Amino acid sequence: MTDLFLKVKVHQGQNLPFVIYSKPGSDEIIGLFQVNDHVYLTESFSETGFIMAPFDGENYVLIPEEYSEIITEKYELPAISEEGTVSQEYDETAKEHFEQLVEKGVAAIHSGDFKKVVLSRKEKVGGTTKDVEHLFPRLLANYPTAFKYCFYHPKVGMWMGATPEQLLKVKDYQLQTVALAGTQLYEGTEKVHWEPKEIEEQQYVTEFILDNLKDWASEETLSSPYTARAGNLLHIKTDISARLNDKESLKQVLEILHPTPAVCGLPKEAARNFILENEDYDREFYSGFLGELNKNFSTGRSEHSDLYVNLRCMKIKKENIHLYIGCGITKDSVPEKEFFETLNKSMTMKKILA
């Protein structure tokens, strides 16, 4: 057992908050181990530490640098194949329930309530290990291009995930974000055909970001849409960059971007209201955002923020594990097809649990 995972075990035993994480393409794990069990919240986004924000609400939990011990550790990827076998069995009742939800969303789109809505479901998985020392290296091995994390707070719970989606990166006022949508299974090539529905969905996301950044940033540039791989899935992605007008703009930009159309819909408020009224569970931190806020604690260099959308995640409880999965719904969505898209996405975490 390494020093970092020994520290995880000690902190769990003492019911103290911690987060360990590894960035895309990195061979380094960073851990913040809070020295007390207080729930720190951020309001101004001027604090330094690791932030965990929910889908809805303003209780942005922070593990602050000033009250944490910080450990950084190099690692070698474990010898775990990406070709794991995971059962694709599913519950017929859950399938029927989700398809009814999608039908309701499509009907609301045809009625003109909104253009797009992202609907999700929660799936319980039992009979598997919940040991961080076992699960986290599997995340590292299977999803090297994702942001991998394990977050624990005794008053919040334990969350773990491997998300492909950057929400925002800021350094020296230079802002970088992405527009990500559409999903296909990776089957050996990134040269795939995208349906008009998926191209349209991704364009919604791009236009939303550009339109809403105008008051808080300038010098916007963007790439052409391209296919990007995240584990066993492919998405359409556009890279966007801009320059923040000032440091205080970070809070406003985050409020604009979160929740993104990729996890909520368009127009955002109408889609969010539909989600809150029609999904039969609380998303909590699923489809929120997380990551480094005003970080300078491992490099000593200038502050920067590096935040990700909390996708492909699970909440680890004593009795079972909750997986959270969703998909974007537009006027052309087929309910059964959307259910199977959530099933494909669930394999990201199920592979870790296998």
Side-chain angles (χ1 to χ4, degrees), residues 1 4-14 18 33 131 133:
M1 185 181 296
L4 185 137
F5 284 107
L6 184 59
K7 187 69 173 176
V8 166
K9 212 167 190 65
V10 170
H11 249 56
Q12 280 187 279
Q14 296 176 340
F18 69 87
F33 297 89
D131 183 7
E133 185 186 1

Side-chain angles (χ1 to χ4, degrees), residues 278-330:
N278 290 279
E279 286 186 352
D280 62 354
Y281 77 102
D282 183 357
R283 289 189 178 189
E284 299 183 75
F285 291 102
Y286 164 64
S287 65
F289 66 86
L290 73 166
E292 298 169 340
L293 183 66
N294 301 316
K295 176 192 170 185
N296 57 20
F297 42 82
S298 74
T299 64
R301 295 194 288 267
S302 59
E303 289 184 358
H304 68 273
S305 296
D306 199 1
L307 305 173
Y308 292 79
V309 182
N310 194 19
L311 303 174
R312 315 294 189 271
C313 65
M314 55 188 170
K315 184 176 184 180
I316 301 174
K317 309 187 78 172
K318 286 184 179 179
E319 60 277 11
N320 49 43
I321 292 174
H322 292 179
L323 306 182
Y324 299 82
I325 46 239
C327 54
I329 308 302
T330 65

Side-chain angles (χ1 to χ4, degrees), residues 22-41:
S22 181
K23 293 188 178 185
S26 173
D27 64 349
E28 184 177 80
I29 307 172
I30 300 171
L32 274 70
F33 297 89
Q34 192 173 308
V35 297
N36 57 50
D37 67 354
H38 183 72
V39 180
Y40 294 96
L41 303 177

Side-chain angles (χ1 to χ4, degrees), residues 255-272:
E255 289 174 350
I256 288 166
L257 293 179
H258 174 66
T260 71
V263 299
C264 182
L266 276 175
K268 182 163 74 170
E269 284 308 310
R272 176 160 52 188

